[in-house]
């Protein structure tokens, strides 16, 4: 990897903020927590919505950053 490509990769990595998703199962078993890297909260919200829609196993998904709940997405 060239120097320019490496610096772009490092910039992209440092620009990401760490979010977490708490995935709540329809069956009622304990929720699962997943790490989520996103550039900003808007991207994190969109990724959380997509994660909820990827499977019918989840009733709702909570988006967190730094231990603080930001938003809850529920299945219709």
């Amino acid at each position: 990897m060239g120097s320019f490509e490496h610096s772009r990769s490092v910039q992209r990595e440092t620009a990401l903020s760490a979010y977490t998703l708490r995935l709540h199962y329809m069956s009622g078993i304990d929720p699962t927590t997943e790490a989520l890297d996103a550039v900003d909260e808007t991207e994190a919200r969109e990724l959380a919505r997509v994660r909820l829609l990827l499977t019918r196993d989840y009733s709702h998904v909570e988006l967190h950053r730094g231990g603080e709940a930001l938003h809850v997405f529920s299945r219709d």
Side-chain angles (χ1 to χ4, degrees), residues 9-21:
S9 174
V10 169
Q11 287 173 352
R12 172 81 174 143
E13 290 174 15
T14 58
L16 295 178
S17 294
Y19 295 85
T20 56
L21 298 176

Side-chain angles (χ1 to χ4, degrees), residues 1 4 25 27-29 33 37 42 44-45 50-51 56 76:
M1 177 182 303
F4 177 71
Y25 291 93
S27 65
I29 62 173
T33 300
D37 289 329
T42 300
R45 285 175 184 245
V50 169
R51 188 67 180 99
R56 291 198 149 315
D76 294 334

